[in-house]
């Protein structure tokens, strides 16, 4: 829109609506916030004259007039009338055509984002700003970069920061910084640097935060409010670096600068930033409660002043101040004022809802609400109100999971899982103490519930997403688009991995992958909006996921699940059978108990066999000590098969390699291994196990991939041919791909057409790296992320390769391994190697494993216990007199573990699959598919009405 019409985004609506939108910060909201499904305030009935006017615009086919009439009406009371704008987006009778109409639509989307933010509805606000940004990108002829920077990118980036989705926030803020630098606007540069510093600080990366603080301070005016804001960000970074003196110096300087700016009326945002700085000072002086309280009281005084001068401040910020006061008084052991301020906070966040009547349906994704509920639970527990404390912990965790669901990037979700860890441990401890006192089964159920929702929630989300995609209708446009984007994501990730050290190419591919991830997240939200997904977590107060019915569905007689939570100074455990909870316990541990387990694993398994060969007696003593400490009070019952839901350092411990008695003997064949007592398999959580148990994989056929080496590696696997021959003797109708036949294309095809996929090759996963794990195939690697979006999946994947069960350890999620990736992609179970598998041992163990599977299939119908087949193969190895003494040490046979549903295979799984299932699509088809994906990604997207 050229000329005068381009001077502002709100030419016809007026600029008053966004005049307080400074650096993405909303200053003043005239009414209490509302939540949930946003709709016009019940007291704000649309007047007849507006209805008549809108109909007249519609009759004249004047779309821009129709849009601006609604924007103008909402702008007079945006928080009360905000619900009209989302309705306008949906009710428009046609798409914009002219330049003026395109500009009007841009204004509508931007105003919708602002209005939703005023109400505290961060997620709808983020969706609206995202749509506004995409509209601007798709219509460069009406886009003004300065207005996009100020009115879209800044609030959008800050919304992502509020939601905790920091990677997305960084993408947005960096775009804003590029535009500000290009415009040579020092004030804008300083403002965006402040946003970047804040985001990095929230990510726990204070060094990067300080870097942007310094850059921003170099651009900000010497006496500007922006200088005060940047000093407060600098104080936060120093606090994270434990430079307490520097943090105090910076925050005092920040307060002084902002007071001066406010007195000089230098910036309308100065008062708001000062209010935030006072609260930040309260945090920085937290070790001095009285000084901290003094700063918070100054914040209260300033808040009242701003209320008097400006009408109202953002209610969300009021809630944060009240929550801080409540938490501080709780630490000071003053329950009366603590309750008062917590009640004040809740009255802002959920008007008319006291704590006593809160239900899960009242909750929404808001950090302050989660913090408030957690603090109030602690207050109830201190007062001896354990039942109320458990109820509030449930609600707090439910709120956190709602927030987690809004995150887009995997790293943000992993950070969320780690940050919640201490809170889960506190709640589990409260439930345990309550059970010890009164022995009520409800307390054990709460303990199990807290343990369950503390682990593998991100894996469960991936599993459910894959299920929903697989179960969607073929013609479903959203599902088809998601499949297309998943393929594009794989394409860009592979391009990035194969770009080597070409930083420019890697940056381009990473940017493209980020855009695809963004659209995927928005589409998944859209899909959930039309058909709500199954609950991935427990509803507070309901024993969902751990009911007797679900246990009976998962377990049969003679099976048990033992779930663990690894705390800082304690190990909690609960054992369940088909009849319910069998027992629970808490083992008090020293502060470094998990380190001792990690050292044990590293010493005896992670660095080769030499340590065990040279010092078998020392291994025996340490293995028995671990068994006695971890399992001595509750030994495994002979005749019971166990699924262990491990946690923390336990996730990598080969339990069946521990010994159950103290007496050392020279021959490992005679050692009393746990392996001889019971069948051990591993799972991530009860809920993922249930999903694995009820979802069926491909029902028949085995495909084996055997790669001794390729041109990219000088390391050869000498026993691959022997392993293939051993298995082929047992499985008569499989598909066998050796060396040059073992291509990535055939591997992808096998994953969707075989019940069992066997891999004997190199695999790579690094413990302390974000590098993507992969399996080596003849022509190219198969990366972990390529499992996304497969339409079908095998029931069992056997990874007879090194370290396929190992990987980067994520708190509450376990190892980010190839085994986990197959489970996330829908596979029911995986056999994987925890460390470097001996080639000859693996070949022999695999022969025994498949022989046992065939024997199981022959003797009974229904399901096949594949975990038992692996245990029997290991026992056969130990009992075979032809096996050398040294090779009976657990280093050789304990590497392979069974993960997932022990009865993943159904009768007939090892029968040959139909030949048509293994048809390899010609290369031209794949090329056309990739071209279609790239063309789709290149198209401009428009916001649907």
């Amino acid at each position: 829109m050229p000329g005068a019409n381009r001077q502002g985004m709100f030419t016809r609506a007026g600029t008053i609506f966004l005049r307080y939108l400074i650096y993405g910060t909303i200053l003043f909201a005239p009414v209490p916030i509302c939540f949930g499904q946003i709709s016009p305030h019940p007291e704000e009935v649309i007047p007849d004259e507006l209805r008549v006017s809108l109909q007249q615009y519609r009759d004249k086919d004047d779309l821009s007039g129709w849009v601006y009439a609604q924007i103008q009406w909402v702008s007079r009371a945006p928080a009360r009338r905000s619900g009209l704008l989302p309705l306008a987006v949906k009710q428009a009778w046609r798409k914009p055509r002219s330049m003026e109409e395109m500009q009007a639509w841009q204004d509508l989307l931007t105003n919708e984002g602002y209005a939703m933010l005023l109400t505290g509805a961060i997620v709808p606000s983020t969706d609206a700003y995202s749509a506004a940004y995409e509209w601007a990108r798709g219509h460069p002829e009406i886009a003004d970069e300065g207005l996009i920077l100020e009115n879209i990118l800044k609030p959008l980036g800050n919304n992502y920061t509020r939601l905790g989705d920091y990677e997305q926030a960084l993408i947005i803020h960096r775009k804003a910084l590029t535009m500000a630098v290009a415009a040579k606007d020092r004030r804008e540069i300083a403002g965006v640097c402040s946003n970047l510093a804040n985001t990095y600080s929230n990510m726990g990366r204070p060094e990067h935060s300080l870097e942007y603080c310094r850059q921003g301070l170099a651009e900000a005016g010497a006496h500007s409010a922006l200088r005060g804001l940047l000093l407060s960000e600098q104080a936060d970074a120093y606090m994270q670096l434990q430079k307490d003196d520097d943090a105090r110096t910076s925050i005092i300087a920040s307060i002084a600068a902002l007071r001066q700016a406010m007195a000089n009326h230098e910036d309308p945002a100065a008062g708001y930033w000062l209010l935030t700085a006072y609260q930040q000072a309260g945090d920085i002086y937290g070790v001095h409660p009285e000084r901290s309280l003094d700063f918070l009281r100054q914040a209260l005084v300033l808040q009242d002043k701003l209320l008097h001068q400006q009408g109202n401040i953002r209610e969300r910020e009021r809630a944060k101040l009240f929550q801080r006061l409540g938490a501080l008084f709780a630490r000071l052991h003053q329950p009366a004022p603590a309750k008062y301020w917590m009640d004040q906070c809740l009255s802002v966040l959920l008007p008319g809802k006291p704590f006593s009547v809160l239900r899960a349906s009242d909750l929404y994704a808001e950090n302050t609400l989660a913090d408030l509920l957690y603090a109030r639970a602690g207050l109830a527990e201190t007062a001896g109100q354990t039942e109320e404390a458990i109820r509030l912990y449930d609600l707090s965790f439910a709120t956190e999971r709602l927030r987690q669901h809004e995150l887009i990037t995997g790293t943000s979700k992993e950070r969320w899982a780690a940050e919640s860890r201490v809170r889960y441990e506190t709640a589990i401890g409260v439930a345990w103490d309550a059970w010890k006192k009164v022995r009520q089964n409800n307390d054990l159920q709460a303990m199990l519930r807290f343990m369950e929702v503390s682990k593998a929630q991100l894996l469960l989300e991936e599993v459910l997403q894959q299920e929903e995609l697989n179960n969607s209708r073929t013609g479903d446009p959203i599902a088809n688009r998601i499949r297309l984007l998943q393929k594009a994501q794989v394409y860009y990730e592979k391009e990035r991995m194969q770009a080597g050290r070409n930083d420019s190419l890697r940056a381009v591919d990473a940017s493209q992958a980020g855009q695809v991830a963004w659209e995927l997240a928005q589409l998944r939200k859209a899909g959930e909006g039309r058909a709500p997904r199954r609950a991935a977590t427990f509803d507070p107060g309901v024993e969902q996921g751990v009911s007797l019915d679900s246990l009976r569905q998962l377990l049969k007689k003679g099976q048990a699940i033992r779930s663990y939570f690894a705390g800082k100074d304690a190990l909690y455990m609960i054992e369940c059978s088909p009849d319910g909870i069998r027992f629970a316990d808490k083992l008090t541990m020293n502060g470094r108990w998990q380190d001792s387990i990690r050292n044990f694993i590293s010493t005896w398994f992670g660095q080769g066999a030499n340590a065990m060969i040279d010092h078998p007696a020392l291994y025996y003593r340490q293995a028995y000590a671990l068994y006695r400490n971890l399992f001595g009070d509750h030994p495994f019952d002979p005749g019971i098969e166990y699924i262990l839901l491990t946690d923390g350092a336990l996730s990598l411990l080969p339990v069946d390699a521990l010994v159950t008695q103290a007496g050392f003997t020279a021959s490992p064949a005679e050692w009393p291994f746990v392996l001889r007592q019971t069948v051990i398999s591993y799972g991530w959580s009860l809920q993922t196990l249930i999903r694995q148990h009820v979802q069926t994989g491909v029902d028949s056929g085995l495909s084996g991939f055997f790669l001794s080496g390729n041109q990219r590696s000088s390391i050869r696997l000498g026993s691959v041919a022997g392993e293939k021959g051993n298995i082929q003797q047992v499985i008569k109708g499989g598909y066998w791909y050796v060396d040059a036949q073992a291509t990535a294309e055939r591997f992808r095809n096998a994953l969707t057409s075989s019940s069992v996929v066997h891999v004997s090759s190199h695999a790579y996963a690094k413990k302390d790296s974000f590098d993507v794990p992969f399996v080596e195939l003849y022509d190219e690697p198969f990366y972990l992320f390529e499992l996304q979006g497969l339409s079908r999946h095998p029931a069992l994947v056997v990874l007879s390769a090194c370290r396929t069960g190992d990987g980067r350890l994520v708190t509450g999620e376990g190892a980010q391994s190839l085994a986990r990736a197959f489970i996330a992609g829908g596979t029911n179970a995986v056999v994987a190697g925890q460390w470097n598998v001996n080639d000859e041992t693996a070949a022999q163990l695999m022969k025994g494993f498949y022989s046992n599977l065939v024997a199981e299939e022959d003797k009974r119908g229904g399901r096949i216990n594949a975990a038992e087949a692996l245990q029997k193969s290991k026992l056969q190895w130990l009992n075979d007199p032809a096996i050398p003494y040294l090779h009976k040490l657990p280093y050789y046979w304990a590497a392979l573990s069974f993960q997932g549903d022990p009865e993943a295979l159904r009768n007939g799984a090892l029968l040959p699959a139909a030949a048509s299932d293994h048809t390899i699509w010609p290369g031209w088809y794949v090329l056309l598919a990739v071209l279609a994906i790239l063309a789709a990604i290149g198209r401009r997207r428009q916001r649907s009405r």
Side-chain angles (χ1 to χ4, degrees):
M1 187 174 293
N5 290 336
R6 291 298 306 281
Q7 296 303 309
M9 295 186 73
F10 306 95
T11 307
R12 298 177 65 172
T15 60
I16 188 171
F17 199 175
L18 289 185
R19 69 182 178 185
Y20 293 125
L21 184 57
I22 309 296
Y23 299 109
T25 300
I26 309 302
L27 301 183
F28 309 109
V31 296
I33 54 181
C34 55
F35 302 96
Q37 184 64 39
I38 302 300
S39 60
H41 193 281
E43 297 178 2
E44 285 293 325
V45 178
I46 298 176
D48 290 339
E49 57 269 26
L50 178 59
R51 293 182 187 276
V52 171
S53 177
L54 292 178
Q55 187 59 49
Q56 290 174 345
Y57 283 123
R58 191 179 187 117
D59 292 343
K60 293 187 294 185
D61 198 34
D62 185 353
L63 181 62
S64 59
W66 182 82
V67 166
Y68 283 121
Q70 295 178 81
I71 291 177
Q72 288 175 328
W73 185 73
V74 172
S75 70
R76 300 187 187 102
R80 289 202 306 273
R81 301 173 176 179
S82 58
L84 180 64
L85 298 185
L87 294 176
V89 172
K90 296 177 181 179
Q91 293 174 355
W93 63 94
R94 63 171 173 81
K95 295 180 179 180
R97 296 170 184 161
S98 66
M99 295 277 283
E100 183 180 14
E101 289 176 350
M102 291 177 187
Q103 179 67 61
W105 198 259
Q106 178 78 73
D107 294 350
L108 175 61
L109 296 174
T110 307
N111 276 286
E112 179 191 352
Y114 171 74
M116 293 297 99
L117 188 54
L118 278 181
T119 69
I122 303 298
V123 174
S125 172
T126 303
D127 292 341
Y129 278 127
S130 297
Y133 179 61
E134 292 302 326
W135 183 265
R137 288 179 61 205
H139 300 84
E141 65 273 19
I142 58 101
D144 182 296
E145 287 198 351
L147 294 172
I148 292 173
L149 169 64
E150 185 68 21
N151 295 332
I152 300 176
L153 288 183
K154 286 180 178 177
L156 177 58
N158 285 335
N159 272 1
Y160 276 118
T161 299
R162 293 183 185 102
L163 290 171
D165 212 337
Y166 304 122
E167 282 74 14
Q168 288 299 313
L170 288 179
I171 291 173
I172 299 301
H173 290 322
R174 285 168 181 157
K175 290 177 181 176
L177 184 60
T178 299
M179 294 170 66
V181 169
K184 298 180 180 179
D185 188 326
R186 299 187 66 183
R187 178 180 172 81
E188 295 288 356
I189 292 171
V192 178
C193 283
S194 172
N195 290 339
L196 282 162
N198 178 265
T199 301
Y200 274 117
S201 182
N202 280 296
M203 293 175 73
R205 296 165 67 179
E207 297 87 354
H208 290 79
S209 179
L210 284 177
E211 180 181 337
Y212 279 106
C213 286
R214 295 183 186 111
Q215 184 178 341
L217 287 168
E219 302 292 337
H223 304 290
S224 67
L226 269 175
R227 180 175 181 79
L229 178 63
L230 285 158
L231 286 169
S232 72
E233 299 292 355
Q234 181 174 271
D236 187 58
Y238 280 135
M239 186 180 177
Q240 291 189 42
L241 292 169
Q242 299 182 337
K243 296 183 177 181
D244 296 340
D245 290 341
D246 290 334
R248 294 187 188 107
T249 299
S250 289
I251 198 61
I252 296 301
S254 169
I255 289 171
L258 290 169
R259 281 174 174 167
Q260 187 63 46
M262 188 176 175
N264 294 340
H265 305 287
E266 187 265 338
D267 194 312
Y272 171 80
W273 292 339
L274 179 57
L275 182 62
T276 302
Y278 278 138
Q279 296 182 62
Q280 189 179 350
D283 294 340
I284 290 173
Y285 282 87
V287 294
H288 305 288
E290 294 301 329
R291 187 72 190 277
S292 176
L293 184 57
D294 179 61
F295 281 115
L296 294 183
R297 283 171 173 158
Q298 290 184 65
L300 277 175
V301 172
L302 176 58
Q303 178 177 274
D304 290 341
K305 182 178 180 180
L306 293 174
L307 283 168
H308 177 73
Q309 290 179 347
Q310 307 292 344
N312 266 333
I313 68 169
R314 268 184 72 204
E315 295 293 315
R316 187 170 178 270
E317 301 308 320
R318 289 182 66 210
K320 284 185 177 180
L321 175 55
F322 296 157
Q323 193 276 328
R324 277 186 167 97
L325 283 162
L328 179 57
F329 279 114
R331 291 202 307 273
L332 292 172
H333 305 291
Q334 299 181 32
K339 288 181 179 179
Y340 171 80
W341 287 113
M342 290 179 187
D343 288 342
Q344 292 296 305
C345 179
L346 187 63
S347 70
V348 171
L349 295 174
L350 288 169
K353 292 279 187 179
F355 285 100
S356 60
V357 302
L358 282 185
R359 297 292 180 267
S361 57
D362 299 322
L363 307 176
Y364 57 95
E366 169 56 51
N367 294 342
T368 304
L369 180 57
D371 294 343
L372 173 66
L373 291 166
Y374 179 79
R376 187 62 173 241
L379 208 59
E381 196 273 330
T382 301
Q385 300 168 346
T386 306
E387 185 176 344
E388 175 67 0
I390 288 174
R391 186 182 73 87
L392 291 169
Y393 281 132
D394 268 320
L395 292 170
S396 176
F397 298 150
T399 306
E400 287 194 347
R401 293 192 295 275
L402 289 172
R403 181 173 71 91
Q404 174 262 326
H405 182 56
E406 299 301 331
L407 304 178
I408 293 178
T409 59
T411 50
S412 291
K413 294 181 179 184
E414 289 177 10
R415 190 179 304 109
W416 164 83
E419 290 172 352
S420 302
R421 191 72 179 175
V422 174
R423 295 188 174 190
Y424 285 126
E425 183 172 0
T426 299
I428 291 168
V430 169
W432 166 257
D433 291 340
W435 183 78
K436 289 289 287 182
K437 289 178 183 177
V438 296
R439 301 284 173 167
Q440 289 187 356
N441 199 44
N442 286 343
D443 296 323
L444 281 188
Q445 292 170 359
M447 181 178 168
L448 179 59
R449 188 164 63 247
F450 294 147
M451 291 171 67
E452 178 70 6
V453 298
S454 74
K455 61 179 64 172
Q457 290 298 296
L458 307 187
L459 174 61
L460 179 63
E461 182 177 356
E462 293 176 57
V463 169
L464 290 175
Q465 286 176 351
Q466 186 64 39
E467 279 185 26
E468 290 167 1
L469 192 60
N470 290 343
N471 294 335
S472 61
R473 301 186 310 273
T474 303
D476 186 332
I478 291 182
N480 289 340
R481 180 68 174 171
I482 287 174
R483 292 187 185 97
L484 188 70
L485 288 169
Q486 285 179 330
K487 292 176 182 177
Q489 199 170 37
V490 168
Y491 173 83
Y492 286 124
E493 287 291 345
K494 286 191 69 174
E495 289 291 299
R496 185 174 66 86
M497 297 298 298
Q498 295 169 3
R501 297 185 178 181
N502 190 323
D503 292 338
S504 60
L505 283 179
R506 288 174 67 90
V508 169
D509 291 325
S511 175
Q512 295 285 359
Q515 292 294 334
V516 171
W518 182 327
E519 184 173 348
L520 266 173
Q522 304 307 317
L523 281 175
R524 282 172 175 149
K525 288 180 185 179
E528 289 156 15
R530 10 164 241 187
R533 62 186 292 184
R534 287 182 300 275
T537 51
F538 300 117
D539 290 333
V542 179
E543 202 186 349
Q544 178 184 343
V546 289
S547 65
L548 278 178
D549 286 343
S550 64
L551 288 173
R552 287 169 181 155
Q553 179 187 27
L554 177 62
L555 300 173
K556 66 180 184 180
K557 186 177 180 180
Q559 289 182 320
I561 287 177
R562 193 176 287 188
S563 182
Y564 293 89
F565 180 91
K568 180 180 179 182
D569 302 307
L571 176 64
Y572 296 92
M573 68 184 75
I574 288 184
E575 184 168 304
C576 301
S577 72
D579 297 323
I581 296 175
R582 298 182 71 196
F583 75 84
D585 204 356
K586 171 187 176 182
L587 304 181
T588 301
M589 316 291 277
N590 65 58
R592 297 184 61 82
W593 72 274
Q594 294 196 65
D595 289 338
S596 67
I597 293 176
R598 294 186 187 99
N599 291 336
F600 175 84
I601 296 168
S602 174
T603 299
W604 300 113
F605 301 104
Q607 302 178 37
N610 288 342
M612 199 176 292
I613 292 171
D614 294 340
H615 307 285
L618 180 57
Y619 168 80
Y620 190 102
R621 288 197 299 272
Q622 291 186 9
Y624 174 65
L626 264 182
Y627 172 82
R628 189 180 65 248
N629 291 337
L630 299 175
F631 307 105
D633 291 343
H634 302 283
F636 299 109
D637 293 337
I640 300 292
E641 301 173 6
Y642 286 89
I643 304 172
L644 303 184
L645 309 181
T646 53
D647 188 42
L650 287 177
S651 299
L652 300 177
L653 180 67
V655 175
D656 57 0
L658 302 182
V659 292
T660 61
Q661 298 175 19
F664 171 75
T665 59
S667 173
E670 299 174 4
W671 290 2
F673 293 112
V674 170
L675 177 75
R676 296 189 180 278
Q677 280 192 337
T678 183
V679 177
I680 297 286
S681 60
Y682 301 88
W684 280 265
S685 70
L686 278 167
Q687 293 174 93
T688 55
L689 274 173
I690 290 169
R691 301 318 312 158
Q692 291 164 332
H693 193 72
V694 301
Q695 291 295 310
T696 57
V698 177
D699 56 7
S700 64
L702 181 146
S703 293
F705 292 80
F706 304 89
L707 188 69
S708 59
N710 58 25
Q711 295 178 348
R712 294 183 302 281
S713 175
S714 60
I715 302 175
R716 312 294 292 181
L717 298 179
S719 299
V720 164
E723 181 173 337
K724 182 249 185 183
N726 286 344
I727 299 172
Q728 201 167 7
Q729 291 175 22
V730 179
I731 307 296
K732 302 301 182 182
Y735 292 86
W736 315 98
Y737 305 104
V738 181
D739 289 338
Q741 298 172 326
T743 63
E745 185 178 7
R746 284 193 170 98
F747 186 67
R748 293 186 196 97
N749 182 262
L751 289 173
T752 61
S753 59
S754 299
S755 182
V756 180
V757 175
H758 181 100
V759 182
S760 182
S761 174
H762 286 296
Y764 299 90
K766 298 181 181 178
K767 279 182 176 293
D768 303 315
S769 172
F770 283 85
D771 291 349
V772 180
F774 63 89
V775 170
E776 190 70 86
L777 293 166
Y778 186 79
D779 54 341
E780 63 182 25
F782 181 86
Y783 293 102
L784 176 151
F785 51 74
E786 294 186 70
L787 294 164
Q788 297 179 34
L790 294 179
S791 58
R792 302 170 72 196
H793 56 80
L796 174 66
V797 172
V798 181
L799 299 170
S800 179
C802 301
R803 297 188 180 277
T804 47
D806 198 3
R808 181 174 56 88
L809 200 62
V810 175
T811 302
E813 291 291 315
Q816 303 301 286
S817 62
L818 274 166
R820 181 194 182 279
F822 279 107
I823 296 297
T827 299
N828 303 74
V830 177
V831 174
Q834 297 296 114
W835 54 87
N836 292 334
V837 182
N838 178 271
D839 295 347
E840 295 180 359
T841 304
Q844 189 68 22
L845 287 173
M846 285 296 101
K847 180 181 180 180
F849 172 65
Y850 285 105
S851 296
N852 294 327
L853 284 180
V854 170
E856 284 285 311
E857 189 172 38
D858 289 342
K859 74 180 183 183
R860 65 179 180 181
R863 293 175 179 262
I864 303 170
N865 193 322
E868 184 180 2
L870 182 61
Q871 182 228 20
K872 287 181 177 179
S873 180
K874 293 178 179 179
L875 288 174
Q876 290 159 359
W877 175 269
L878 284 174
N879 296 331
D880 187 346
I883 302 298
Y885 154 85
L886 289 179
H887 285 185
K888 293 186 179 181
L889 290 168
Y891 176 85
Y892 290 94
W893 55 261
L896 295 174
S897 64
F898 194 95
Q899 304 176 26
D901 180 14
E903 297 187 340
L905 294 179
R906 285 163 171 77
N907 196 39
L910 301 178
L911 296 176
S916 60
D917 287 343
H918 289 262
T919 301
I920 304 299
W921 291 106
W924 60 263
Y925 180 89
V926 176
L927 178 60
L928 288 177
V930 171
L931 291 174
I933 292 167
L934 296 180
I937 296 300
R939 286 197 292 265
R940 302 287 188 183
R941 290 185 286 123
Q942 297 183 356
R943 173 79 179 267
S944 63
R945 295 193 300 271

